[in-house]
């Protein structure tokens, strides 16, 4: 199978490596210029060293081709405006993974990337006015997760 991944952040690049276990080739579609990934250096180095991962730079996804299943993609180079059709057996989206938590960062603990730190009950302790501690429930993609929490089910 030939699989495409849209995105250049940590999750996109790390999951691209994981997907190579199931695919002949994984192509990462990157909006930025050649060599510019939005992920950590270790993930980038591993991806660059993986012979099953290729990159398409300065590119975005314009269209997914196929009725019942993905059969191809139309990619657009954002510098030249040129489009091209490629054969694909699947596409994974890893874009928009920046948490929108600015409005709570002064009242709950967040990690360096802005994700809310939670316990096993998805709660984060915070200090309310009057010095009282209260639980703050966090759900969805705004929570900090250890890598093992994000992996595929067993």
């Amino acid at each position: 199978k030939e699989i495409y991944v849209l995105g250049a952040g940590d999750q996109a690049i790390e999951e691209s490596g994981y997907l190579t276990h199931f695919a002949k080739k994984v192509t990462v579609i990157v909006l930025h210029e050649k060599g510019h990934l939005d992920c950590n250096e270790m993930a980038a180095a591993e991806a660059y060293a993986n012979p099953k991962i290729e990159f398409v730079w300065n590119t975005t996804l314009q269209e997914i081709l196929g009725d019942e299943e993905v059969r191809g993609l139309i990619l657009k180079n954002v510098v030249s405006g040129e489009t091209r059709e490629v054969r694909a057996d699947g596409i994974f989206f890893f874009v928009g993974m920046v948490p929108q938590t600015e409005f709570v960062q002064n009242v709950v603990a967040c990690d360096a990337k802005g994700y809310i730190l939670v316990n096993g009950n998805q709660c984060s302790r915070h200090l309310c006015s009057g010095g009282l501690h209260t639980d703050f429930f966090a759900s969805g993609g705004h929570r900090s997760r250890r890598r093992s929490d994000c992996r595929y089910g067993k």
Side-chain angles (χ1 to χ4, degrees):
K1 302 245 181 224
E2 292 191 22
I3 297 173
Y4 282 74
V5 169
L6 180 64
D10 287 329
Q11 191 173 16
I13 302 307
E14 290 172 7
E15 296 301 331
S16 294
Y18 180 76
L19 289 169
T20 62
H21 296 289
F22 311 100
K24 179 176 77 173
K25 179 173 86 169
V26 174
T27 303
V28 181
I29 303 167
V30 183
L31 184 62
H32 308 301
E33 66 278 355
K34 185 174 183 177
H36 180 100
L37 296 174
D38 295 323
C39 65
N40 66 76
E41 290 179 20
M42 190 160 100
E46 288 177 9
Y48 289 140
N50 190 326
K52 290 178 131 187
I53 298 177
E54 294 182 3
F55 296 89
V56 181
W57 304 100
N58 294 313
T59 301
T60 190
L61 175 64
Q62 186 168 337
E63 187 178 343
I64 299 172
L65 304 172
D67 294 323
E68 297 292 318
E69 58 187 44
V70 176
R71 67 169 178 78
L73 307 170
I74 296 181
L75 305 179
K76 181 178 181 179
N77 184 295
V78 296
V79 175
S80 68
E82 211 174 287
T83 61
R84 67 182 173 114
E85 184 176 327
V86 295
R87 184 176 104 43
D89 297 303
I91 176 82
F92 290 83
F93 296 87
F94 294 103
V95 294
M97 302 305 289
V98 176
Q100 303 298 310
T101 56
E102 295 83 14
F103 68 102
V104 296
Q105 288 184 357
N106 292 331
V107 294
V108 296
C110 294
D111 67 12
K113 293 184 178 182
Y115 292 96
I116 299 169
L117 298 172
V118 295
N119 62 19
N121 296 322
Q122 307 309 324
C123 292
S124 178
R125 301 285 284 173
H126 75 286
L127 184 63
C128 294
S129 59
L132 300 173
H133 286 278
T134 306
D135 284 339
F136 180 91
F137 182 79
S139 65
H142 295 85
R143 295 170 293 138
S144 176
R145 300 180 219 165
R146 292 184 314 261
R147 184 177 173 91
S148 61
D149 293 338
C150 300
R151 292 287 117 194
Y152 299 91
K154 293 181 181 177

